Amino acid sequence: MATAVAARDAGLRAPRHVLSVYPVTQTSRNTESYLENAIAKPLNRAMMDWFFTHVTRSEQDLDDPRLSLVDAPLAGLAPVTIVNARLDPLRSDGAKLESALLEAGVEVARKEYEGVAHEFFGAAAVLEKARDAQAFAGERLRRSFAL
C-alpha cells in the first residue's frame, strides 16, 4: 500500500492492483484485534511492539503515513484486495484500511478467514482456507491485469 501511495505521489506508473495480506495499516496496538489476540501465535501484541520499536526512531515516526496508511491520502489508487486472518492482531488494521479506501473512493474487496492465524496465507499445501485465500487473491489480480 505504501509503495502504491508513493508511486502515485511521485507521478510514477501506478500498480494495476494492490494485494495486501494481513497489512499493518496503523500504529495503535489498542484495536479490538490487538486486544483479542494479545498473546496469539505466531504474531501477538508484544511482537508488534517490538517491530514498531525497531522500525521507528521516535514516537513521531508512528504518525508517518507509510505506517499509518489509514491516515494517508488514498484517493486515486488502483483496486485493492485485503486478506485477513481472524486470529491475528492485524485483523482490525485490514478492516480500518477497507473503510479508509471506501471513503477515498477506491475499489476494495476484503475477506477475513475464520479459524486461522497470521501467516496462514502461505500454507496452501496443508490449509484449505489458505487455498481459498490464494484463489480469491488470484482472481482479483487476474481481473485487474485483464483490463
Side-chain angles (χ1 to χ4, degrees):
M1 287 298 315
T3 301
V5 170
R8 181 205 58 208
D9 292 352
L12 300 173
R13 184 174 178 187
R16 296 193 78 169
H17 196 96
V18 176
L19 173 60
S20 196
V21 180
Y22 16 84
V24 175
T25 68
Q26 53 84 53
T27 57
S28 169
R29 271 85 75 210
N30 292 313
T31 65
E32 178 183 2
S33 61
Y34 268 100
L35 298 174
E36 287 177 3
N37 298 289
I39 59 171
K41 295 293 180 191
L43 184 67
N44 58 48
R45 190 175 183 199
M47 294 168 80
M48 288 304 298
D49 285 340
W50 185 90
F51 289 128
F52 281 123
T53 298
H54 288 85
V55 166
T56 59
R57 294 169 299 217
S58 70
E59 285 289 314
Q60 291 75 28
D61 287 348
L62 294 173
D63 296 328
D64 188 307
R66 292 171 294 178
L67 289 176
S68 190
L69 286 161
V70 297
D71 298 318
L74 299 173
L77 295 180
V80 177
T81 299
I82 303 169
V83 173
N84 279 123
R86 178 75 182 150
L87 307 172
D88 188 347
L90 300 176
R91 183 186 77 241
S92 295
D93 282 41
K96 287 176 177 283
L97 180 59
E98 178 185 30
S99 294
L101 288 164
L102 288 170
E103 187 174 312
V106 176
E107 180 198 332
V108 60
R110 175 178 171 263
K111 280 196 178 181
E112 183 178 300
Y113 291 85
E114 289 290 329
V116 292
H118 188 85
E119 294 298 336
F120 87 99
F121 188 81
V126 294
L127 288 176
E128 183 177 340
K129 289 182 181 178
R131 289 189 293 277
D132 291 347
Q134 288 179 12
F136 167 63
E139 178 54 34
R140 295 269 304 157
L141 288 167
R142 270 190 293 282
R143 276 193 267 154
S144 287
F145 290 119
L147 298 176

